[in-house]
Amino acid sequence: LVEDHDEDFFGAFLHELMWFALGFLALRLLTFFDVVPPMPAGLIPSISLHRDAASERKAAIKSLCAAATAGHWHWVLELWNAEKARGTLPLDALSDAAQALATVAPGRLCADLAAHLASQNGAAAQVHVVNQLVEVVVGCGRADLASELVDVMRARLGVVPDARTHELLFGPASAAAGA
């Protein structure tokens, strides 16, 4: 009785192996005749051993944001130094970098952020971006740096402060008076 069970198991295994091989052969033939597009490098694209540059950058930006959430400002600055020249950062990552700069390296804040935004051909240098950065810097207790940042953004990038900028810098009463 045990031998019959072993033979049935072995026969079923060979039967499944045959169907697998036929399926593989059929897929290869369909790929050869351009009925099915070829598979990219790696068995499954999401399990590929080689990461492309975009996924590496995305991972670095996520690491920057995670380090900021954890309060590891020196690590945020290290990632900021590596990523700032590689292209535009999302606003949340840029805000995290601004917070790290205001906390750890306040002397670099205005120059770094203005240089980064200027390198993006002005696409990222908009008043709502500057307002977000000002809000972060003011939140760090550095209204003096926030005011300097607004001045630098106006001088280097031509970003004109709006009522929201004045409200962030001087409070709601000054925004109403300046509008």
Side-chain angles (χ1 to χ4, degrees), residues 6-20:
D6 287 341
E7 287 179 15
D8 289 341
F9 177 77
F10 186 68
F13 174 76
L14 288 177
H15 184 75
E16 290 298 319
L17 185 62
M18 180 192 69
W19 279 112
F20 177 78

Side-chain angles (χ1 to χ4, degrees), residues 80 84-85 87-91 94-95 98 109-131 133-134 149 152-154 156-157 159:
W80 161 251
K84 65 184 176 184
T88 304
L89 290 172
L91 189 54
L94 195 59
S95 297
L109 180 110
C110 295
D112 273 21
L113 293 176
H116 176 71
L117 294 176
S119 71
Q120 308 309 312
N121 298 324
Q126 299 173 5
V127 71
H128 77 277
V129 173
V130 173
N131 286 344
L133 298 175
V134 167
L149 180 63
V152 168
M153 294 296 178
R154 182 184 311 157
R156 284 191 62 188
L157 303 172
V159 177

Side-chain angles (χ1 to χ4, degrees), residues 14 21 29 45 49 56 62 75 81 83 85 87 89 91 94 122 138 154 156:
L14 288 177
L29 286 172
L49 297 177
E56 284 181 13
K62 283 184 179 181
W75 180 244
N81 289 333
E83 293 302 316
L89 290 172
L91 189 54
L94 195 59
V138 168
R154 182 184 311 157
R156 284 191 62 188

